[in-house]
Amino acid sequence: MEHGVHDAPVGPGVWASALPVLAVAALYAAGVLRLRARGDRWSPARSTAAAGAVAAMGAALLPPLGDRPDVVAHVVGHLLLAMVAPLLLALAAPVTLALRALPSTGRRRLLAVLHSRPARVLTWAPVVAVLELGGMYAFYLTDLFALAHAHPALMTLVHVHMVLAGLLLSVVLVGRDPLPQRPGIVGSLVLLLVVAAGHDVLAKLMYARLLPAGAGSPDELRLGAQVMYYGGSAVEIALAVALMAGWYARGGRELRRARAREQISAPAPGGSRARG
């Protein structure tokens, strides 16, 4: 067996990384319960998506998967943590839930953050792509992989970046929450294609150059790259489906509103004859 990341003490970092998962679950549940307590309804589908996101993050961070340092386990955890969980969390609309559950003061502060200049910069498509792809390339193609496995605190930061960068991508593409700016359907498709191409290139580099170095045998590294390629493609297809479904639903709503406006503005049948 090769030495390196296999001997790294990752246990404490894994459990420390799991604490934010519990916080996310508790905050979301508290928001739903607050709405129910005052008689408001919250979509069960969104609650189910939130539960799926928490389950995906927990599976990625907790044993038996979370405490395995080999590259295959880590790639599976990466797919769950940085792609599956963010997609589900974006569909769960946590910001909308917070806006409905918070008191007026908290709502105004949250809206101010959403419309701030930093929020506009972070939701700009090129920035989203750089944050999503840059962190992944740095982690898998440099010594950061081994360093993070040797230092639990650094691994926690890596996990935080994975979740936030993946969440930013999913929120911009398919999120149900309000944003200061969101690309149109063409811009969203271009962003998705750029990110998908970047993921594919990363997986091919890992396969061809046997990276991350020292993370396993050549067969393990090639398998990890294959999991990255095919697993990432599956999640990206899910993103594309959610993106197109959201676009279709918005088009339907706009058409219904247009028809309703036409009916309101149209003269009553026989109105002109009644005046004569």
Side-chain angles (χ1 to χ4, degrees), residues 20-115:
V21 179
L22 300 177
V24 169
L27 288 171
Y28 196 94
V32 173
L33 292 175
R34 182 179 178 86
L35 292 185
R36 290 182 179 177
R38 68 187 189 203
D40 291 342
R41 183 181 178 276
W42 183 251
S43 169
R46 291 180 174 180
S47 295
T48 301
V54 170
M57 288 188 284
L61 294 171
L62 298 176
L65 184 62
D67 60 354
R68 289 180 54 190
D70 60 278
V71 66
V72 177
H74 188 89
V75 168
V76 173
H78 171 91
L79 292 173
L80 290 171
L81 195 64
M83 301 186 74
V84 176
L87 171 58
L88 292 172
L89 193 56
L91 297 176
V95 174
T96 300
L97 175 61
L99 288 172
R100 293 182 58 184
L102 286 171
S104 58
T105 301
R107 192 179 304 116
R108 285 194 298 269
R109 290 175 178 172
L110 181 54
L111 285 171
V113 171
L114 290 174
H115 292 93

Side-chain angles (χ1 to χ4, degrees), residues 71-72 75-76 79 140 199-212 217-233:
V71 66
V72 177
V75 168
V76 173
L79 292 173
Y140 285 106
H199 288 166
D200 289 352
V201 170
L202 173 62
K204 291 174 181 178
L205 288 173
M206 292 170 60
Y207 188 94
R209 299 183 181 181
L210 298 178
L211 296 171
S217 66
D219 289 341
E220 290 174 332
L221 292 171
R222 293 190 184 100
L223 179 58
Q226 291 174 325
V227 172
M228 172 77 76
Y229 184 87
Y230 292 108
S233 296

Side-chain angles (χ1 to χ4, degrees), residues 127-156:
V127 173
V128 173
V130 169
L131 290 175
E132 169 69 13
L133 295 175
M136 293 176 57
Y137 274 68
F139 187 68
Y140 285 106
L141 302 185
T142 72
D143 292 336
L144 182 58
F145 186 92
L147 288 172
H149 280 86
H151 302 282
L154 180 57
M155 180 61 81
T156 299

